[in-house]
Amino acid sequence: MTTFRAFVLIFSALTTIAHAEDFLVRGGRSADGLYEVRLVRTPNYDSNTDGTEYRFQICRTSDNKSLYTVSGSGFRGYSAAQGYCEALWSPSGGFVAFTDRYTKHTNKIYVLSVTPEEATQLEIPNYVDNALGRVNATGFDFACVSTPKKWHDNHLCVTLYFTANGRHSYTSNVTLHAVRPEHSFPVLVFEAITDPKEGEE
């Protein structure tokens, strides 16, 4: 009887894992259909802990294997995140950018290199400080939002909106280059930034 009860508990746990609640992020499927960015609800989430209600998974669609996991910000819950999280794949399907909200007026951008066997998170060059320096500011006031707009081959175009100097608003266009050297790890290189234009959003 004890063995049977243990079997039932194990079966129930496996069933729960297999049917974990998840959601295909807007723009989350690569053009070739090989990969997806999914928003996955954290099992047994407790709002009284410091954990987050969701995480991002880069999955291989052929067998639904998770290649990489990124923890969510925890700013808002799983249901709300479905409305504002989105992804942008490079035409080759080798790189993906997606964003997550960190406060009402700030977000974070992620860029990953993706192959059939693994995904690798790339370090984001500090283009925000570059933009702030162009308006003689050392920090943003309250808003700082990066929006991936388009991939040109492996060049990612990002629109940066921020406020500084007494809540003046500025917009810059940033270009980042995702590079996968033959004998080294993939990297994201800062390529260009336009001078911030004031009063544009």
Side-chain angles (χ1 to χ4, degrees):
M1 187 59 131
T2 303
T3 303
F4 177 76
R5 197 174 293 134
F7 173 80
V8 170
L9 289 173
I10 293 171
F11 179 80
S12 298
L14 291 174
T15 302
T16 301
I17 293 171
H19 294 86
E21 189 174 355
D22 66 4
F23 173 83
L24 178 64
V25 171
R26 185 165 62 252
R29 184 174 289 113
S30 62
D32 55 18
L34 296 179
Y35 311 108
E36 291 181 345
V37 180
R38 306 195 68 84
L39 195 67
V40 181
R41 190 166 203 158
T42 304
N44 305 316
Y45 170 74
D46 181 357
S47 59
N48 295 318
T49 69
D50 292 331
T52 65
E53 194 177 351
Y54 61 88
R55 59 189 184 274
F56 297 90
Q57 283 189 346
I58 314 302
C59 299
R60 193 169 59 199
T61 55
S62 60
D63 55 5
N64 206 35
K65 179 184 177 181
S66 175
L67 300 174
Y68 198 87
T69 299
V70 176
S71 294
S73 67
F75 168 60
R76 287 186 176 160
Y78 172 76
S79 297
Q82 293 180 30
Y84 58 71
C85 295
E86 57 184 308
L88 185 67
W89 285 91
S90 66
S92 67
F95 297 96
V96 63
F98 60 91
T99 58
D100 190 15
R101 194 78 57 85
Y102 264 61
T103 71
K104 186 176 181 180
H105 300 290
T106 64
N107 74 344
K108 185 172 182 178
I109 183 172
Y110 298 89
V111 179
L112 284 88
S113 166
V114 185
T115 70
E117 299 306 319
E118 64 178 358
T120 305
Q121 185 174 340
L122 307 184
E123 183 176 352
I124 307 294
N126 192 354
Y127 56 81
V128 174
D129 278 358
N130 187 305
L132 287 167
R134 292 168 183 260
V135 296
N136 298 314
T138 56
F140 60 88
D141 291 337
F142 71 97
C144 186
V145 177
S146 294
T147 306
K149 289 293 187 179
K150 190 172 184 179
W151 285 94
H152 292 288
D153 295 323
N154 291 335
H155 301 263
L156 176 63
C157 302
V158 177
T159 296
L160 170 65
Y161 168 78
F162 65 97
T163 58
N165 299 326
R167 297 199 172 190
H168 289 255
S169 60
Y170 301 92
T171 303
S172 285
N173 294 315
V174 180
T175 304
L176 305 174
H177 186 193
V179 182
R180 190 179 288 137
E182 186 175 351
H183 300 293
S184 185
F185 295 106
V187 294
L188 193 62
V189 179
F190 172 80
E191 193 165 81
I193 187 170
T194 61
D195 286 333
K197 292 185 179 180
E198 188 174 353
E200 296 191 4
E201 188 170 348

